[in-house]
Amino acid sequence: MPYIQPYTKADGTYVRGHYRWAAGARHEMALLAVAVVAIVGIGNGNISTGTGTGTGTGNGQTPRPQKTATHPITFADNDRAVKPRPRKSVTYPIRFPKVERKPAPRRSVSYPIRFETSGNGQ
């Protein structure tokens, strides 16, 4: 995509810099999107519903999956390995500089100051 530099039109309108698609790119992208939707639609057309003749119980249905796990699941090594505790990487103290916090400045007047000219030059 080419980048268009900012410019000013003849009538004085400022146009920010922006990216612009090449000529015909939107049409090609639309055709690609239609092709992808068509391929996905055609590709999902051969779905089995489970009512065909299978090697199941003899009544023409596909066998259902059997459970292979026993619950609750237990592991042979019940003794969990104790994780090593973290240790200091250095033995000397590391000193960080202290940051002095200054209080925020207070306003010196409690009324609002308006910088309007009253016409007398003051």
Side-chain angles (χ1 to χ4, degrees), residues 33-63:
V34 168
V36 168
V37 169
I39 290 172
V40 169
I42 292 171
N44 291 335
N46 190 11
I47 297 176
S48 174
T49 58
T51 59
T53 59
T55 59
T57 58
N59 59 2
Q61 292 188 354
T62 308

CSV table of all heavy atoms in Angstrom, one decimal, residues 33-63:
chain,number,residue,atom,x,y,z
A,33,ALA,N,-12.5,-12.9,-0.9
A,33,ALA,CA,-13.4,-13.2,0.3
A,33,ALA,C,-14.5,-14.1,-0.2
A,33,ALA,O,-14.9,-15.0,0.5
A,33,ALA,CB,-13.9,-11.9,0.9
A,34,VAL,N,-15.1,-13.8,-1.4
A,34,VAL,CA,-16.2,-14.7,-1.9
A,34,VAL,C,-15.6,-16.1,-2.1
A,34,VAL,O,-16.3,-17.1,-1.8
A,34,VAL,CB,-16.8,-14.0,-3.2
A,34,VAL,CG1,-17.7,-15.0,-3.9
A,34,VAL,CG2,-17.5,-12.8,-2.8
A,35,ALA,N,-14.4,-16.2,-2.7
A,35,ALA,CA,-13.8,-17.5,-3.0
A,35,ALA,C,-13.6,-18.3,-1.7
A,35,ALA,O,-13.9,-19.5,-1.6
A,35,ALA,CB,-12.5,-17.3,-3.8
A,36,VAL,N,-13.1,-17.6,-0.6
A,36,VAL,CA,-12.9,-18.3,0.6
A,36,VAL,C,-14.2,-18.8,1.2
A,36,VAL,O,-14.3,-19.9,1.7
A,36,VAL,CB,-12.1,-17.3,1.6
A,36,VAL,CG1,-12.1,-17.9,3.0
A,36,VAL,CG2,-10.7,-17.1,1.1
A,37,VAL,N,-15.2,-17.9,1.2
A,37,VAL,CA,-16.5,-18.3,1.8
A,37,VAL,C,-17.1,-19.5,1.0
A,37,VAL,O,-17.6,-20.5,1.5
A,37,VAL,CB,-17.5,-17.1,1.8
A,37,VAL,CG1,-18.9,-17.6,2.0
A,37,VAL,CG2,-17.0,-16.1,2.8
A,38,ALA,N,-16.9,-19.5,-0.4
A,38,ALA,CA,-17.4,-20.6,-1.2
A,38,ALA,C,-16.6,-21.9,-0.9
A,38,ALA,O,-17.2,-23.0,-0.7
A,38,ALA,CB,-17.3,-20.3,-2.6
A,39,ILE,N,-15.3,-21.8,-0.7
A,39,ILE,CA,-14.5,-23.0,-0.4
A,39,ILE,C,-14.9,-23.6,0.9
A,39,ILE,O,-15.0,-24.8,1.1
A,39,ILE,CB,-13.0,-22.7,-0.5
A,39,ILE,CG1,-12.6,-22.4,-2.0
A,39,ILE,CG2,-12.2,-23.8,0.1
A,39,ILE,CD1,-11.2,-21.9,-2.2
A,40,VAL,N,-15.1,-22.7,1.9
A,40,VAL,CA,-15.5,-23.2,3.3
A,40,VAL,C,-16.8,-23.8,3.2
A,40,VAL,O,-17.1,-24.9,3.8
A,40,VAL,CB,-15.4,-22.1,4.3
A,40,VAL,CG1,-16.0,-22.5,5.6
A,40,VAL,CG2,-14.0,-21.6,4.5
A,41,GLY,N,-17.7,-23.2,2.5
A,41,GLY,CA,-19.1,-23.8,2.4
A,41,GLY,C,-19.1,-25.1,1.7
A,41,GLY,O,-19.8,-26.0,2.1
A,42,ILE,N,-18.3,-25.3,0.6
A,42,ILE,CA,-18.3,-26.5,-0.2
A,42,ILE,C,-17.6,-27.6,0.6
A,42,ILE,O,-17.9,-28.8,0.7
A,42,ILE,CB,-17.7,-26.3,-1.5
A,42,ILE,CG1,-18.6,-25.5,-2.4
A,42,ILE,CG2,-17.4,-27.7,-2.2
A,42,ILE,CD1,-17.9,-25.0,-3.7
A,43,GLY,N,-16.5,-27.2,1.3
A,43,GLY,CA,-15.7,-28.1,2.1
A,43,GLY,C,-16.4,-28.7,3.3
A,43,GLY,O,-16.1,-29.9,3.7
A,44,ASN,N,-17.4,-28.1,3.8
A,44,ASN,CA,-18.1,-28.6,5.0
A,44,ASN,C,-19.4,-29.3,4.6
A,44,ASN,O,-20.2,-29.6,5.4
A,44,ASN,CB,-18.5,-27.5,5.9
A,44,ASN,CG,-17.2,-26.9,6.6
A,44,ASN,OD1,-16.2,-27.6,6.7
A,44,ASN,ND2,-17.3,-25.6,7.0
A,45,GLY,N,-19.5,-29.7,3.3
A,45,GLY,CA,-20.8,-30.3,2.8
A,45,GLY,C,-20.8,-31.8,3.2
A,45,GLY,O,-21.9,-32.3,3.2
A,46,ASN,N,-19.8,-32.5,3.4
A,46,ASN,CA,-19.7,-33.9,3.6
A,46,ASN,C,-19.6,-34.2,5.1
A,46,ASN,O,-18.6,-34.6,5.6
A,46,ASN,CB,-18.6,-34.6,2.8
A,46,ASN,CG,-18.7,-36.1,2.9
A,46,ASN,OD1,-19.7,-36.6,3.2
A,46,ASN,ND2,-17.6,-36.7,2.4
A,47,ILE,N,-20.8,-34.0,5.8
A,47,ILE,CA,-20.8,-34.2,7.3
A,47,ILE,C,-21.5,-35.5,7.6
A,47,ILE,O,-22.6,-35.7,7.1
A,47,ILE,CB,-21.4,-33.0,8.0
A,47,ILE,CG1,-20.6,-31.7,7.7
A,47,ILE,CG2,-21.6,-33.3,9.5
A,47,ILE,CD1,-21.2,-30.5,8.3
A,48,SER,N,-20.9,-36.3,8.4
A,48,SER,CA,-21.6,-37.6,8.8
A,48,SER,C,-22.5,-37.3,10.0
A,48,SER,O,-22.2,-36.6,10.9
A,48,SER,CB,-20.5,-38.6,9.2
A,48,SER,OG,-21.2,-39.7,9.7
A,49,THR,N,-23.7,-37.8,9.9
A,49,THR,CA,-24.7,-37.6,11.0
A,49,THR,C,-24.8,-38.8,11.9
A,49,THR,O,-25.5,-38.8,12.9
A,49,THR,CB,-26.1,-37.4,10.4
A,49,THR,OG1,-26.5,-38.5,9.6
A,49,THR,CG2,-26.2,-36.2,9.6
A,50,GLY,N,-24.0,-39.9,11.7
A,50,GLY,CA,-23.9,-41.0,12.6
A,50,GLY,C,-25.1,-42.0,12.4
A,50,GLY,O,-25.3,-42.8,13.2
A,51,THR,N,-25.8,-42.0,11.3
A,51,THR,CA,-26.9,-42.9,11.1
A,51,THR,C,-26.5,-43.9,10.0
A,51,THR,O,-27.4,-44.6,9.5
A,51,THR,CB,-28.2,-42.2,10.7
A,51,THR,OG1,-27.9,-41.4,9.5
A,51,THR,CG2,-28.6,-41.3,11.8
A,52,GLY,N,-25.3,-44.0,9.6
A,52,GLY,CA,-24.9,-44.9,8.5
A,52,GLY,C,-24.7,-46.3,9.0
A,52,GLY,O,-24.9,-46.6,10.2
A,53,THR,N,-24.2,-47.2,8.1
A,53,THR,CA,-23.9,-48.5,8.5
A,53,THR,C,-22.5,-48.6,9.0
A,53,THR,O,-21.6,-48.3,8.3
A,53,THR,CB,-24.1,-49.5,7.3
A,53,THR,OG1,-23.2,-49.1,6.3
A,53,THR,CG2,-25.5,-49.5,6.9
A,54,GLY,N,-22.3,-48.9,10.2
A,54,GLY,CA,-21.0,-48.9,10.8
A,54,GLY,C,-20.6,-50.2,11.4
A,54,GLY,O,-21.3,-51.2,11.2
A,55,THR,N,-19.5,-50.3,12.1
A,55,THR,CA,-19.1,-51.6,12.7
A,55,THR,C,-19.5,-51.6,14.1
A,55,THR,O,-18.8,-52.2,15.0
A,55,THR,CB,-17.6,-51.7,12.6
A,55,THR,OG1,-17.0,-50.5,13.3
A,55,THR,CG2,-17.1,-51.7,11.1
A,56,GLY,N,-20.6,-51.0,14.4
A,56,GLY,CA,-21.1,-50.9,15.8
A,56,GLY,C,-21.9,-52.1,16.3
A,56,GLY,O,-21.5,-53.2,16.2
A,57,THR,N,-23.0,-51.8,16.9
A,57,THR,CA,-23.8,-52.8,17.6
A,57,THR,C,-24.6,-53.7,16.6
A,57,THR,O,-25.4,-54.5,17.1
A,57,THR,CB,-24.7,-52.2,18.6
A,57,THR,OG1,-25.6,-51.2,17.8
A,57,THR,CG2,-24.0,-51.4,19.6
A,58,GLY,N,-24.5,-53.5,15.4
A,58,GLY,CA,-25.2,-54.4,14.4
A,58,GLY,C,-26.6,-53.8,14.0
A,58,GLY,O,-27.2,-54.3,13.1
A,59,ASN,N,-27.0,-52.7,14.6
A,59,ASN,CA,-28.2,-52.1,14.2
A,59,ASN,C,-28.1,-50.9,13.3
A,59,ASN,O,-29.0,-50.1,13.1
A,59,ASN,CB,-29.0,-51.7,15.5
A,59,ASN,CG,-28.2,-50.6,16.3
A,59,ASN,OD1,-27.1,-50.2,15.9
A,59,ASN,ND2,-28.8,-50.3,17.4
A,60,GLY,N,-26.9,-50.8,12.7
A,60,GLY,CA,-26.7,-49.7,11.7
A,60,GLY,C,-26.2,-48.4,12.2
A,60,GLY,O,-26.2,-47.4,11.5
A,61,GLN,N,-25.8,-48.4,13.5
A,61,GLN,CA,-25.4,-47.1,14.1
A,61,GLN,C,-23.9,-47.2,14.4
A,61,GLN,O,-23.4,-48.3,14.7
A,61,GLN,CB,-26.2,-46.8,15.3
A,61,GLN,CG,-27.6,-46.4,15.0
A,61,GLN,CD,-28.3,-45.9,16.2
A,61,GLN,OE1,-27.8,-45.9,17.3
A,61,GLN,NE2,-29.5,-45.5,16.0
A,62,THR,N,-23.3,-46.1,14.4
A,62,THR,CA,-21.9,-46.0,14.7
A,62,THR,C,-21.7,-46.1,16.2
A,62,THR,O,-22.5,-45.6,17.0
A,62,THR,CB,-21.3,-44.6,14.3
A,62,THR,OG1,-21.6,-44.4,12.9
A,62,THR,CG2,-19.8,-44.5,14.5
A,63,PRO,N,-20.7,-46.9,16.7
A,63,PRO,CA,-20.6,-47.0,18.1
A,63,PRO,C,-20.2,-45.7,18.9
A,63,PRO,O,-19.5,-44.9,18.3
A,63,PRO,CB,-19.4,-48.1,18.3
A,63,PRO,CG,-18.6,-47.9,17.0
A,63,PRO,CD,-19.7,-47.5,16.0
